[in-house]
Amino acid sequence: MIIRYGMLLCAAVVGTAVAGGGSEPLPLKARILSNETAHIPAQCYTKTEDVLGGAHNPCYACHTPSDTPNYLNDGDLQLAYDFPLPAERNPWRNLFEDRREAVQAISDEEILAYIRRSNYLDDDGNIIPAATLASVPPDWDYDDNGQWEGFVPDAYFRFDAEGFDRAPDGTLTGWRAFAYSPFLGSFWPTNGSTDDVLIRLPEPFRRNTDGALDLGVYKTNLAIVEALVREADVPIDPVDEIGIGGVDLDKNGSLGVAQKVVYDWAPLEGRSMWYVGQALAEQHSGRIHLAARLYPEGTEFLHTVRYTETEGPVAYGESVKIADNRLSARMKEVRYARKRYWMSYARLESRMAGELKEKHDFPDRIRTVRGNLEAGVSNDQGWVYAAMIEDADGALRPQSYEELVFCIGCHSGIGATTDSSFAFPRKLDADGYRRGWYHWSQRGLRGLPEPVRRDGLPEYAFYLETNGAGDELRENEEVRARFFTAEGDLIPERLDALRQDIAELLYASPERALALNKAYRVIVKEQGFVLGRDATLAPFGNVHEVVEGGTATGVQEAVSGL
C-alpha cells in the first residue's frame, strides 16, 4: 500500500524544521526536507479495514501489475503496508487538523470572489507568473545568478476548435488540450479539485519536411504518439502520406490518403512505426526515438489544479442534487513535466531491477531526489518536474524542493503509470467529440459515459465496489450517501445513471464544493503544503497516525487496476 523507494541518487540534507510546528519556515530555495519521505503520499496511510473488520482496497488504483516498459508490478502493495522505519509515523499532519472554525469564518461571497479572480492571467491576457519570473525575486533564484532558468509558464488557455492553445495574436504556443477520463479518486471534483492537462511535442514534430510550421503534420504526429501510448489504432483527418514524408500511416502497403494511424510496432519482427515531417529525419538520425508506451524525448505536459466552480443545483431523481462543476479562474497549482532524455526498455528494466535489489538489501533506506526549485526535480526515468503553487496571498510562486519531491512518488514509483504519466493514456477516443482534443472549458464532464476496464467492467463502479468509498482516503460522505445504502451496498439505479454520465459521481454539490474551496484556502494562508494539500474540514479518522511496515491491509487478493 506504499510507493516503492528508489535507489539512493545523491546526498540530501534532512531538516528538522516543520511548517506549522512552531519553528521558522524554511527558505523557499532551501534544498532540505522537513519530511524525509515527502514522496510517499497521504493516501498510503489510509485505513483499509473498517470498524467491523471488513477490508476495502483503494490501493489497487495505483499499485497494480504494470505494462511493459513499466517494470514495477507492485500489486503486492495492496496486501501490506511497506513503510521504511522513518515513514511509519504519518507526516501529513494536515489530515488531523480541525479547520471548521476557520472555514466558517470565510463567507461564500468571499471564496467565490477569490476563486473567480485569475492569478495566472491579468486583465489584458498576459501571463502573470511569466512577468514575475522575468525579474526573478532573489528568494526564488536558486543559483543567485539573477536569472530564472527553469520552466516559465507560456500557455494562454485560449483554445481553438481543435484544442490548440493560441497567444493573443493568434500564433500557436504548441500546447494542445485533450479530454480524458479522470483518474480514480484524487482529481474528481467531488474530492476537492478540478484540473486539466495540455501536451506539447518539440518543434520538429510541428514542422514539415521543408521546415515550415505545419498544423497537419503536428496533428498527425500527436496521433502517432497517441497510438503508441495507447497501443491502438487512431482515426485521423485524411492525410496525404506522400506529402508528410512518405510514411505508410495506415499500413496498407501503399502511399495514398490515410484516415487512421495503425498501431503496428514489433521491431523484433521487423515492424516499426515512423513520425512524419521534420521529426522523421530526426528519428532516422537517432536524435528522436519511438517505442510503444513511451513518449519521445522533449515531450511536455502542463497540468493545472484548480478550485471548483459550481452551477446549479440540478435535480436528479427524487432526493439527489448535483451541480455542474467547472474549472475556476484561479489556479491552485501549475505543474509542468518534460521528458529530458530517452531511456530504452533495457535501461528501464535494469533501473527497476537495481531499485528492487536496493529495497531488498536496505529496506529502511530513503529515496532522495535530484533537483531544486529552479531546475525542477528528476524522477530518474527521463522526466523532470517543476511547478508553481499559491503563496499566502494567492499569487503563484515556485514550489520548493520539498514541495516538488511530493510529486515524484506518484510519477515514478507505481504500476499504474504509462511512462510516468496518468492522463494521456486515458484520453477520450478519437472517434468521439473533436477526436478528444478539447479543453474542459469548451465542454465539461457532463454527459461523458463511464470508462470501461480491460476486463469489460465499468471502471468507476468497480472502484466504488472495491474501495467501498469514492476517494482514496475513504472520507467522502457525499459520495457515500449518493451511491451507497446505509448498509454499504451500492445503489443499482445510481450505477445505471453513472454509466451514462460520469458527472453523477465526479461532480460535487455546491455546498461541498464551497466548503472544500474554503478549507484549501485556509491551507494556502498557512502555507502548510509540506504537511499536506488535501482539503480537509474536520480531522480524518480513516487514516493511520502510525503504522508499522509490513502490517497486513486485510485485503486477501490483489486486483488489477488496468
Side-chain angles (χ1 to χ4, degrees):
M1 161 96 184
I2 189 67
I3 288 168
R4 296 289 192 199
Y5 311 100
M7 293 183 290
L8 191 64
L9 300 178
C10 62
V13 179
V14 179
T16 56
V18 177
S23 56
E24 290 296 319
L26 298 171
L28 188 60
K29 61 183 181 180
R31 194 179 173 279
I32 15 183
L33 297 176
S34 57
N35 169 16
E36 59 184 317
T37 57
H39 61 291
I40 303 174
Q43 289 86 343
C44 289
Y45 291 87
T46 299
K47 293 179 181 177
T48 50
E49 293 185 294
D50 59 31
V51 294
L52 299 177
H56 306 278
N57 185 358
C59 319
Y60 82 90
C62 293
H63 303 301
T64 182
S66 57
D67 288 327
T68 301
N70 182 345
Y71 295 98
L72 189 53
N73 293 316
D74 60 349
D76 60 300
L77 296 183
Q78 298 174 33
L79 309 181
Y81 298 90
D82 191 17
F83 291 107
L85 184 63
E88 291 183 351
R89 182 179 186 273
N90 189 341
W92 305 108
R93 307 314 297 170
N94 275 341
L95 297 176
F96 307 104
E97 291 291 323
D98 191 336
R99 296 190 176 85
R100 284 172 289 192
E101 184 176 341
V103 165
Q104 198 168 31
I106 303 174
S107 69
D108 292 353
E109 293 75 19
E110 180 184 350
I111 194 63
L112 287 172
Y114 180 76
I115 69 172
R116 289 171 178 170
R117 180 70 176 174
S118 178
N119 55 353
Y120 184 86
L121 296 171
D122 66 19
D123 293 338
D124 296 321
N126 300 309
I127 301 172
I128 298 169
T132 306
L133 291 168
S135 300
V136 59
D139 58 338
W140 297 5
D141 185 10
Y142 180 75
D143 54 8
D144 296 317
N145 68 350
Q147 296 182 328
W148 179 259
E149 296 171 336
F151 168 67
V152 178
D154 59 351
Y156 287 89
F157 293 88
R158 298 164 54 100
F159 300 101
D160 63 21
E162 295 184 295
F164 287 104
D165 178 55
R166 294 183 178 269
D169 63 3
T171 58
L172 291 167
T173 64
W175 291 110
R176 194 180 193 188
F178 59 92
Y180 50 92
S181 300
F183 189 73
L184 302 171
S186 289
F187 290 104
W188 294 353
T190 183
N191 291 323
S193 294
T194 53
D195 72 328
D196 57 359
V197 185
L198 319 181
I199 187 173
R200 179 164 65 186
L201 299 181
E203 283 280 351
F205 290 83
R206 307 178 223 163
R207 299 188 177 276
N208 59 29
T209 53
D210 295 326
L213 183 66
D214 189 317
L215 204 56
V217 164
Y218 192 20
K219 289 192 292 184
T220 303
N221 276 322
L222 283 164
I224 293 168
V225 172
E226 180 180 352
L228 287 163
V229 169
R230 301 179 68 188
E231 295 185 293
D233 297 351
V234 174
I236 57 175
D237 296 333
V239 170
D240 177 9
E241 293 175 325
I242 295 176
I244 58 173
V247 176
D248 185 10
L249 296 171
D250 55 15
K251 299 282 187 173
N252 68 353
S254 63
L255 297 179
V257 176
Q259 299 190 60
K260 63 180 176 179
V261 173
V262 170
Y263 172 74
D264 185 24
W265 185 82
L268 296 181
E269 300 174 16
R271 304 198 310 276
S272 190
M273 295 175 65
W274 302 93
Y275 299 121
V276 301
Q278 199 173 69
L280 177 62
E282 294 293 294
Q283 185 180 353
H284 280 305
S285 71
R287 289 187 291 269
I288 286 177
H289 297 81
L290 177 151
R293 302 186 71 81
L294 293 178
Y295 301 95
E297 48 268 75
T299 299
E300 299 169 281
F301 287 105
L302 191 68
H303 175 206
T304 77
V305 184
R306 312 196 194 193
Y307 296 84
T308 303
E309 278 261 32
T310 60
E311 285 183 332
V314 180
Y316 285 83
E318 296 180 358
S319 60
V320 178
K321 289 187 176 181
I322 187 171
D324 277 337
N325 292 186
R326 62 183 192 274
L327 305 172
S328 66
R330 180 171 296 277
M331 298 181 183
K332 293 180 176 180
E333 299 183 54
V334 179
R335 299 175 174 180
Y336 171 76
R338 179 175 181 272
K339 189 165 185 176
R340 193 168 60 86
Y341 58 87
W342 179 260
M343 291 185 73
S344 66
Y345 280 26
R347 285 184 64 195
L348 288 166
E349 186 173 23
S350 175
R351 176 199 173 276
M352 185 52 59
E355 181 168 326
L356 293 176
K357 184 179 186 302
E358 175 105 356
K359 172 61 177 172
H360 176 272
D361 294 346
F362 305 98
D364 290 324
R365 180 173 286 178
I366 301 301
R367 177 178 185 172
T368 57
V369 180
R370 294 173 294 176
N372 58 69
L373 88 164
E374 189 168 354
V377 294
S378 170
N379 77 344
D380 201 34
Q381 296 177 34
W383 292 87
V384 63
Y385 296 86
M388 306 192 81
I389 200 166
E390 291 179 275
D391 68 14
D393 296 323
L396 289 168
R397 62 158 176 83
Q399 293 193 24
S400 69
Y401 170 70
E402 180 166 346
E403 290 164 345
L404 291 175
V405 169
F406 169 84
C407 307
I408 288 299
C410 292
H411 285 285
S412 71
I414 60 176
T417 56
T418 300
D419 199 2
S420 303
S421 72
F422 289 89
F424 196 67
R426 301 176 63 86
K427 178 184 171 293
L428 299 187
D429 290 340
D431 56 0
Y433 178 73
R434 292 187 178 178
R435 300 200 184 280
W437 293 107
Y438 61 90
H439 188 253
W440 296 128
S441 62
Q442 297 172 305
R443 178 174 177 171
L445 296 171
R446 172 72 66 195
L448 292 182
E450 183 178 7
V452 177
R453 291 162 44 91
R454 291 181 187 175
D455 56 14
L457 296 174
E459 183 182 30
Y460 294 159
F462 184 88
Y463 180 71
L464 292 174
E465 181 178 10
T466 306
N467 183 22
D471 63 309
E472 303 101 312
L473 296 166
R474 307 193 65 253
E475 293 276 356
N476 188 325
E477 292 301 324
E478 183 167 279
V479 166
R480 201 183 304 274
R482 190 184 297 167
F483 278 86
F484 292 87
T485 66
E487 294 73 30
D489 298 319
L490 285 164
I491 302 171
E493 294 79 10
R494 301 303 305 146
L495 296 181
D496 290 340
L498 170 60
R499 289 188 180 94
Q500 305 302 316
D501 186 357
I502 62 174
E504 292 284 314
L505 169 64
L506 272 60
Y507 279 177
S509 68
E511 296 79 12
R512 179 170 172 82
L514 283 168
L516 294 181
N517 287 340
K518 293 174 185 179
Y520 188 81
R521 176 62 180 134
V522 173
I523 296 174
V524 169
K525 289 179 179 178
E526 296 171 347
Q527 289 292 281
F529 304 120
V530 297
L531 298 178
R533 307 183 195 189
D534 296 284
T536 60
L537 298 169
F540 277 11
N542 205 41
V543 289
H544 291 285
E545 290 206 48
V546 178
V547 59
E548 185 177 347
T551 300
T553 63
V555 175
Q556 298 300 310
E557 184 177 356
V559 299
S560 173
L562 303 176

